[in-house]
Amino acid sequence: MRISPVEPGSRPELATLEAEIARQRGRVSPLYQVLLNSPPMAHGWEQLLTAVRRHNSLPEAARELVILRVAVLNRARYEYDAHVPIALQAGASQAAVDALSDPAAIGPGLSADEALLIELTDAMTNSIEVPAALYQQVSARFTPQQVVDAMVTIGAYNMVSRFLVALEIGH
């Protein structure tokens, strides 16, 4: 880890923020311990990621598969390991999780909707631009809110994974 984590409970001025993080996440993870070096960033991060995880119009399993794919593409092992059990608990099949393991290809095991969301994830993560044909497919299949939620999820978890990898935050 490149930046020292803030040990929970070591800075009284962070108690309220730490309590909110623990309430939303169940604990103050190593990721949040590093973020606590900048309380405004930790607070904003928590609000954004809570919205992505808890107020998302995508099916939970699909959302988690998108998060896993971002982790695979960005080589964010900590993020991947954290979200596999969440994906399985949300109803994703092991075959769907396995379909995401090769960053160069999308394997079998995904529903048509899941595969489309993973194509969108690959486009936004690898080349940033979304080809018009892919956008048309996505917007024809999903509501405008779901399209926005998918894109925010992809963008947010690219932020998460790149932060984790850049600062060498791991297990």
Side-chain angles (χ1 to χ4, degrees):
M1 199 173 307
R2 293 184 170 178
I3 293 180
S4 296
V6 174
E7 186 65 34
S10 66
R11 292 178 48 191
E13 71 276 16
L14 297 176
T16 301
L17 180 55
E18 289 175 3
E20 179 61 19
I21 293 167
R23 187 177 70 74
Q24 292 293 338
R25 303 278 173 224
R27 67 186 180 118
V28 180
S29 70
L31 166 65
Y32 281 97
Q33 289 175 30
V34 171
L35 281 167
L36 286 169
N37 282 286
S38 175
M41 292 302 125
H43 174 72
W45 187 292
E46 176 57 30
Q47 288 187 323
L48 173 62
L49 274 292
T50 294
V52 168
R53 293 276 310 287
R54 303 242 163 99
H55 305 289
N56 200 315
S57 63
L58 293 175
E60 288 182 52
R63 178 199 67 222
E64 290 301 320
L65 292 172
V66 164
I67 293 167
L68 288 174
R69 184 61 172 189
V70 169
V72 166
L73 295 174
N74 290 332
R75 299 173 311 282
R77 190 70 199 188
Y78 179 81
E79 181 178 21
Y80 181 85
D81 290 345
H83 281 270
V84 167
I86 298 169
L88 294 171
Q89 183 178 6
S93 68
Q94 186 63 55
V97 170
D98 294 344
L100 308 175
S101 64
D102 181 355
I106 300 169
L110 299 171
S111 71
D113 285 354
E114 292 167 346
L116 191 57
L117 288 170
I118 297 307
E119 285 184 54
L120 178 65
T121 302
D122 285 9
M124 286 182 64
T125 302
N126 291 330
S127 63
I128 302 169
E129 296 177 359
V130 177
L134 176 57
Y135 179 78
Q136 288 173 344
Q137 288 179 314
V138 170
S139 63
R141 175 58 195 102
F142 298 98
T143 68
Q145 181 179 354
Q146 288 174 315
V147 173
V148 168
D149 289 356
M151 290 182 164
V152 170
T153 301
I154 295 162
Y157 275 89
N158 266 287
M159 175 184 73
V160 172
S161 63
R162 291 168 188 207
F163 184 81
L164 289 166
V165 171
L167 292 177
E168 298 176 349
I169 300 169
H171 298 287

